[in-house]
Amino acid sequence: MNVSATFNVFRLLANPALCLPQHTVATFDQLPIPLSLAFASKKGEKPPDIRAVVLDKDNCFSVPKQNVVYPAYQSKFDELKKAYPGSRLLIVSNSSGTGSDPGHKEAELLERNTGIRVLRHSTKKPGCHGEIMDFFRSQPETGVTKESQVAVVGDRLFTDVMMANMMGAHGIWVKDGVIEDHGIMSRFEKGLSAFLLKRGFSPPQVQSDFE
């Protein structure tokens, strides 16, 4: 059970827009590189300074419960690795690298298969943003000094996108995922998103480094 998600979802009662992404793509291979291109800015404004990227795993770049990149997305994955080398790209999963992963065996396998670090975190998304920032700040080569320099990419609104908004980062929602998710929670998330947008809600504005 994801206690963090269950607890934090109540935040939506006070601020429903927390589950709305700043940018949406249908599938992982539609991500713009660099990710700063995803965030529309007013004429004359500089794009956001995205220095590091958090990647979800299941149904984002891999088939759920598999620890390899979905073959059709390998080219985009390699492009992302080149744009955000080393510690600037971090996989944060609610399966691999958590208490649900005994001995972190899945995290180790995922790292071998992708060449990307997998965060070991005690709290599941969306509540692990502090652990994410601790990681980036411990890696000087990332250049990350504030949350607005991070983009979070994932397929779930109540974990990935909500975490991005809670921490003041940029959220990118991979709406359709690798395979279509007919689960109750996924359908509820998509329905809520459509409802909120129709009612005039907007995603939280990420404070620019240039403000």
Side-chain angles (χ1 to χ4, degrees):
M1 179 180 179
N2 187 348
V3 177
S4 174
T6 302
F7 174 78
N8 281 291
V9 77
F10 287 103
R11 293 175 182 265
L12 294 177
L13 297 175
N15 186 2
L18 282 175
C19 71
L20 295 178
Q22 284 76 32
H23 186 72
T24 300
V25 295
T27 54
F28 183 82
D29 57 345
Q30 293 183 5
L31 286 173
I33 306 295
L35 294 185
S36 56
L37 297 175
F39 307 104
S41 60
K42 297 177 182 178
K43 188 174 181 180
E45 286 187 353
K46 293 183 179 180
D49 180 19
I50 305 297
R51 301 183 182 183
V53 179
V54 170
L55 280 183
D56 177 42
K57 177 180 78 75
D58 290 334
N59 218 28
C60 179
F61 68 81
S62 75
V63 173
K65 299 184 179 180
Q66 294 188 12
N67 291 304
V68 294
V69 179
Y70 185 60
Y73 298 163
Q74 187 64 60
S75 177
K76 179 63 67 173
F77 194 86
D78 291 341
E79 190 179 353
L80 196 62
K81 286 174 64 176
K82 184 176 180 180
Y84 302 94
S87 298
R88 296 179 65 193
L89 190 58
L90 178 68
I91 295 172
V92 181
S93 168
N94 270 352
S95 53
S96 303
T98 69
S100 301
D101 177 15
H104 296 153
K105 298 296 184 182
E106 287 192 13
E108 293 173 0
L109 176 60
L110 184 58
E111 288 177 332
R112 289 196 298 271
N113 289 340
T114 63
I116 301 298
R117 291 280 294 273
V118 177
L119 183 70
R120 275 62 164 175
H121 52 113
S122 58
T123 303
K124 291 188 176 183
K125 296 179 289 187
C128 63
H129 43 85
E131 293 171 275
I132 290 171
M133 290 306 297
D134 286 345
F135 171 83
F136 285 135
R137 287 173 175 144
S138 72
Q139 308 293 319
E141 68 273 17
T142 67
V144 172
T145 59
K146 59 183 70 174
E147 289 80 355
S148 61
Q149 295 165 338
V150 176
V152 179
V153 180
D155 72 305
R156 301 307 301 267
L157 294 178
F158 289 175
T159 53
D160 305 304
V161 171
M162 190 169 174
M163 180 179 72
N165 286 325
M166 286 168 57
M167 68 188 286
H170 300 266
I172 299 180
W173 182 30
V174 181
K175 183 178 180 181
D176 297 334
V178 182
I179 59 175
E180 191 170 359
D181 187 348
H182 297 286
I184 294 175
M185 186 56 70
S186 178
R187 287 187 282 122
F188 178 73
E189 287 182 342
K190 291 178 179 178
L192 178 61
S193 172
F195 172 78
L196 291 175
L197 292 173
K198 186 177 293 186
R199 292 292 298 270
F201 284 87
S202 300
Q205 185 174 5
V206 180
Q207 184 175 355
S208 169
D209 291 336
F210 307 105
E211 292 179 355

